Short mmCIF file of all heavy atoms in Angstrom, two decimals:
data_model
loop_
_atom_site.label_atom_id
_atom_site.label_comp_id
_atom_site.label_asym_id
_atom_site.label_seq_id
_atom_site.Cartn_x
_atom_site.Cartn_y
_atom_site.Cartn_z
N ASN A 16 -8.40 14.98 -7.24
CA ASN A 16 -8.76 16.36 -6.90
C ASN A 16 -9.35 16.48 -5.60
O ASN A 16 -8.69 16.03 -4.59
CB ASN A 16 -9.42 17.06 -8.09
CG ASN A 16 -10.72 16.40 -8.64
OD1 ASN A 16 -10.63 15.47 -9.36
ND2 ASN A 16 -11.88 16.92 -8.28
N ASP A 17 -10.52 17.01 -5.41
CA ASP A 17 -11.05 17.42 -4.06
C ASP A 17 -10.95 16.38 -2.88
O ASP A 17 -11.17 15.21 -3.14
CB ASP A 17 -12.51 17.63 -4.13
CG ASP A 17 -12.97 18.58 -5.24
OD1 ASP A 17 -12.07 18.90 -6.02
OD2 ASP A 17 -14.19 18.71 -5.51
N GLN A 33 -11.41 12.66 -4.68
CA GLN A 33 -11.86 12.46 -5.99
C GLN A 33 -10.64 11.86 -6.72
O GLN A 33 -9.48 12.32 -6.64
CB GLN A 33 -12.19 13.81 -6.65
CG GLN A 33 -13.46 14.48 -6.12
CD GLN A 33 -14.65 13.73 -6.64
OE1 GLN A 33 -15.10 14.09 -7.80
NE2 GLN A 33 -15.25 12.93 -5.97
N TRP A 41 -8.20 14.26 -15.14
CA TRP A 41 -9.59 14.17 -14.62
C TRP A 41 -10.39 13.30 -15.56
O TRP A 41 -10.39 13.31 -16.76
CB TRP A 41 -10.15 15.57 -14.51
CG TRP A 41 -11.42 15.63 -13.85
CD1 TRP A 41 -11.54 15.76 -12.35
CD2 TRP A 41 -12.78 15.40 -14.31
NE1 TRP A 41 -12.93 15.69 -12.14
CE2 TRP A 41 -13.70 15.47 -13.19
CE3 TRP A 41 -13.29 15.23 -15.56
CZ2 TRP A 41 -15.06 15.38 -13.36
CZ3 TRP A 41 -14.64 15.12 -15.79
CH2 TRP A 41 -15.48 15.14 -14.71
N MET A 44 -15.13 9.95 -12.02
CA MET A 44 -14.72 10.05 -10.67
C MET A 44 -15.01 8.87 -9.82
O MET A 44 -16.17 8.29 -9.73
CB MET A 44 -15.24 11.34 -10.04
CG MET A 44 -14.51 12.53 -10.45
SD MET A 44 -12.87 12.53 -9.85
CE MET A 44 -11.88 12.79 -11.34
N PHE A 76 -19.07 12.14 -7.68
CA PHE A 76 -18.51 13.49 -7.40
C PHE A 76 -18.32 13.66 -5.95
O PHE A 76 -18.68 12.84 -5.08
CB PHE A 76 -19.39 14.61 -7.99
CG PHE A 76 -19.00 14.80 -9.47
CD1 PHE A 76 -18.29 13.92 -10.23
CD2 PHE A 76 -19.38 16.01 -10.12
CE1 PHE A 76 -18.00 14.10 -11.63
CE2 PHE A 76 -19.10 16.27 -11.43
CZ PHE A 76 -18.45 15.32 -12.20
N SER A 77 -17.95 14.94 -5.57
CA SER A 77 -17.49 15.28 -4.13
C SER A 77 -18.60 15.09 -3.11
O SER A 77 -19.88 15.24 -3.46
CB SER A 77 -16.93 16.66 -4.09
OG SER A 77 -15.66 16.56 -4.70
N ARG A 152 -24.35 20.12 -6.61
CA ARG A 152 -23.42 19.03 -6.08
C ARG A 152 -22.75 19.37 -4.84
O ARG A 152 -22.85 20.44 -4.19
CB ARG A 152 -22.41 18.83 -7.19
CG ARG A 152 -21.64 20.01 -7.62
CD ARG A 152 -20.60 19.55 -8.71
NE ARG A 152 -20.01 20.77 -9.31
CZ ARG A 152 -20.34 21.35 -10.56
NH1 ARG A 152 -21.35 20.79 -11.18
NH2 ARG A 152 -19.64 22.30 -11.02
N ASP A 153 -21.98 18.42 -4.33
CA ASP A 153 -20.98 18.46 -3.25
C ASP A 153 -21.70 18.66 -1.87
O ASP A 153 -21.52 19.63 -1.15
CB ASP A 153 -20.05 19.69 -3.50
CG ASP A 153 -19.40 19.64 -4.90
OD1 ASP A 153 -19.35 18.53 -5.45
OD2 ASP A 153 -18.95 20.58 -5.32
N GLU A 205 -19.23 25.63 -5.85
CA GLU A 205 -18.88 24.22 -5.64
C GLU A 205 -18.44 24.08 -4.13
O GLU A 205 -18.00 25.04 -3.46
CB GLU A 205 -17.70 23.76 -6.55
CG GLU A 205 -18.05 23.96 -8.02
CD GLU A 205 -16.96 23.38 -8.92
OE1 GLU A 205 -15.77 23.76 -8.82
OE2 GLU A 205 -17.24 22.51 -9.73
N TYR A 266 -7.82 24.59 -3.79
CA TYR A 266 -9.24 24.68 -4.30
C TYR A 266 -10.03 23.57 -3.43
O TYR A 266 -9.43 22.60 -2.86
CB TYR A 266 -9.31 24.47 -5.74
CG TYR A 266 -10.66 24.73 -6.29
CD1 TYR A 266 -11.20 26.08 -6.20
CD2 TYR A 266 -11.51 23.78 -6.86
CE1 TYR A 266 -12.46 26.40 -6.65
CE2 TYR A 266 -12.75 24.09 -7.35
CZ TYR A 266 -13.21 25.45 -7.31
OH TYR A 266 -14.46 25.75 -7.68
C1 FRU B 501 -14.51 20.79 -7.52
C2 FRU B 501 -15.43 19.84 -8.31
C3 FRU B 501 -16.70 19.47 -7.56
C4 FRU B 501 -17.15 18.17 -8.11
C5 FRU B 501 -15.79 17.53 -8.36
C6 FRU B 501 -15.69 16.64 -9.54
O1 FRU B 501 -13.21 20.65 -7.96
O2 FRU B 501 -15.63 20.32 -9.56
O3 FRU B 501 -17.61 20.49 -7.74
O4 FRU B 501 -17.91 17.43 -7.35
O5 FRU B 501 -14.75 18.52 -8.42
O6 FRU B 501 -14.39 15.92 -9.61
#
Side-chain angles (χ1 to χ4, degrees):
N16 52 284
D17 313 357
Q33 290 285 280
W41 188 89
M44 281 292 129
F76 274 18
S77 286
R152 55 180 173 263
D153 310 336
E205 301 188 304
Y266 196 62

